[in-house]
Amino acid sequence: MDTYDTQNKPPSALSGSKGPPETTPFAKPKLADLPQFGGQHAEDLLWSTFRPGQYFGMRMRTPKSLLAGLMWFNPHRPHALSNIRHNAQERDGLTKYGWEAHDGKSYGRQELYDEHFHLTTSWVKRQCNGCGNGGDWALKLDAQHLSNAQNPVEEDVQAADESQPKSRRMSVMFYIADEREQELLLEPDGWQEHAKSRLLSSGQHPIAGDWQLHVTSTSDLKKMRHLAIQTPHMHNLTECVQHSLVLKRSKGQSRGGVAYQLPNTAAPKSNVAIFQLTATLPFSMEVVFLGGQSNEQKTIRGPVNMCAGCTPEKSPKPETQPERLAALSGWRLQQLLQERETAFDKRFADTFGQLSNQDMPAGIQPVAKAALSNMLGGIGYFYGSSLISLPNRTVPNFEAALFSAVPSRSFFPRGFLWDEGFHQLLISKWDPAMSRDMLAHWLDLMNKQGWIAREQILGAEARSRVPAEYITQQPTSANPPTLFLVLAQMADEIATASADVAASVRMRDQQQFLKAAFPRMAAWLTWFNTTQAGPVPGSYRWRGRDPNSLTELNPKTLTSGLDDFPRASHPSHDERHLDLRCWMALASRALATIGKHLNLPRREVLPFEKTAELLEDIQSLKRLHFSDSTGQFLDYGNHTEAIQLQHVIHRTPQGNFRGPLQRHLVDPSQPPKLQLVPHFGYVSLFPLLMALLDPSDPELGQQLKLLKQPDLLWTPYGLRYLLPQPHACLMPNE
């Protein structure tokens, strides 16, 4: 629930504010403020691994949060400072990393393999009477040294290790930061080399209350180092650490005695505290966060019951801080982690029972658990404003929060609109309430016109991971409305629910959500029909293709989600995109179904029913997109196959020089002309995928036959993206 968001927003960000319609929020109450997203729901989701762009990162689901994270490096590796692991990045070259168990709220276990290091990060959250807002939480880090025989990339590890000393040490850094730039208190004095537990830092936050950060060592750790800085910038903490580490060499020691250490300094009013432990492998450490109580958070979340079934008179006595610390340390922490792993396994079996079937191939269940866990462990919370392109200027959009899964922690650690619909098909099976909360956040991003930006780059941390040319969003650019996949599924569940199920809290909440969301869904579909309509009735065209591009064989269609699927070779207003028409048919039918199941007034539902009937008409679809000669559904546009990328030759008195690749028409007798685009692939399957072909339609059997042909798309490993053909396959696109 985003009451805190609203209370802390500038006036320009609130509904009804004056400004361009492109940057004005939709004029309805925010869905994320529905009562179902407050109370215990908000409490359970306050803290989690909501920083998917880091190998391990914690934050609260609120703007101006406390942030926590993990860094590590090999102190003896050549160029150690350029190999600090923090942000999840492909260039780090980790052999493997990912969540093998994660419940989305209170528990996760991740395995990471980095050259000779094997790290396990296990975290758990605990709620109790006396625990902090959102619960107390702990991270247990286990680090081991891998021999070459244990590492799946033995040759690479050997090559990287030839010039390194045979040391089995690693440096681990854990940090805590306050985005509000409020001062943190350090407790570094008196740290002893063989000490087992210590209070590291403490502070105060309006949501987290009076908090403390403790570390417990279960191994013989070297002396702890620290650095405290004052900075408003949380997106470049890695660089701050790189610039602060100092090289130390012990007297009389060989190269093995060299280490990079934090300088044990603290700037005035520091809001970031970083603690470094350099230890001999194997070792483990536990970091424990104890939160406090705050009246502001109690106001936001509403009543919370920490003891199911307890009356106020019989509630357990509030735990003291030492008791809370002990509950998340040592053997009790290990026991709690094991209990949560067992609970995750049981819940997985109950939710996806078919995967526990003995007839399933060996290895399916661990892969399925990892797939689910990486989806849930990839959920993030973001806050900020996108940059919007308007005529002759770029302006910030209204500030907003986004609670969303991400397509890739290393490459795309931010929200993408069309990906999210597919994400929610899985998340809704695991946690329907959390899924609705995420859908609410996405629909709350809608502007006054009904537009939702396809890529959500909110805040400096998200923006720092995006190439500059992709940051600005175009308010005329769409993205497939995949959210309707799960929204329609929710409506069908309501319609088919038994009397007992229909009376359940889940169904009541689901119905309340869909009714509140209907005006936004209707505005979204209206925006599509207004801005993405094609040149003839019943046709649609993705905006955003570059008609002036000379460096691409086939200009990309980023807005479709199928970025490099070959469309008409020469983008024009005459294009008709098959997949977009099919998406519009699905969205129209979904909205009509939702309105019907919610018993909304007929006048509100009828326009969507009529649009759905038009777009589902097979004869209309065939007139616009069907090839009688091949039996294939295809795009239409200004197209020729007679183009190639060739180097531009520059002739000068000093000689000829080869310039960059540019697109050229290689056969003047085949200029581009309006026609069906002869590229058979994923797009051609959309009428089948969207169930637009009736069982009685002869085209259904025809498409199934095409689908099974091995010389087209069928392979033993799945479907090809595109029919192999000289023009489009195995050719550089730019």
Side-chain angles (χ1 to χ4, degrees), residues 555-685:
K556 292 188 287 292
T557 316
L558 298 175
T559 49
S560 73
L562 304 173
D563 301 359
D564 56 358
F565 189 90
R567 311 282 181 163
S569 60
H570 291 66
S572 71
H573 294 290
D574 295 308
E575 284 186 87
R576 306 198 291 255
H577 292 136
L578 171 64
D579 52 333
L580 181 50
R581 173 181 164 125
C582 294
W583 280 119
M584 289 297 94
L586 178 139
S588 301
R589 177 55 61 195
L591 204 51
T593 301
I594 292 169
K596 178 181 177 182
H597 292 339
L598 294 178
N599 296 316
L600 295 180
R602 179 71 174 157
R603 66 180 183 279
E604 294 184 28
V605 180
L606 186 59
F608 304 113
E609 286 186 355
K610 289 184 175 180
T611 301
E613 291 171 1
L614 169 67
L615 298 179
E616 290 169 347
D617 179 61
I618 185 62
Q619 297 306 319
S620 170
L621 180 64
K622 287 179 65 176
R623 281 194 301 272
L624 298 177
H625 290 286
F626 190 69
S627 169
D628 291 319
S629 60
T630 64
Q632 300 168 355
F633 288 97
L634 303 167
D635 276 349
Y636 178 92
N638 195 28
H639 183 75
T640 178
E641 296 283 291
I643 51 173
Q644 290 181 5
L645 287 178
Q646 297 179 346
H647 287 283
V648 178
I649 304 301
H650 299 284
R651 294 177 171 82
T652 70
Q654 291 76 30
N656 296 339
F657 298 93
R658 192 169 71 167
L661 287 169
Q662 286 192 4
R663 189 170 63 163
H664 291 274
L665 183 68
V666 295
D667 185 352
S669 68
Q670 298 183 52
K673 65 177 181 178
L674 293 175
Q675 60 177 307
L676 290 170
V677 181
H679 292 153
F680 183 68
Y682 274 12
V683 165
S684 308
L685 303 179

Side-chain angles (χ1 to χ4, degrees), residues 540-562:
Y540 291 86
R541 175 175 65 88
W542 295 112
R543 274 36 172 190
R545 299 191 73 206
D546 184 1
N548 301 313
S549 175
L550 296 177
T551 60
E552 297 174 283
L553 184 67
N554 194 283
K556 292 188 287 292
T557 316
L558 298 175
T559 49
S560 73
L562 304 173

Side-chain angles (χ1 to χ4, degrees), residues 421-422 425 481-490 583 586 590 690:
F422 299 115
L425 289 174
T482 57
L483 300 186
F484 280 109
L485 292 170
V486 68
L487 291 166
Q489 190 178 84
M490 290 165 58
W583 280 119
L586 178 139
M690 301 296 188

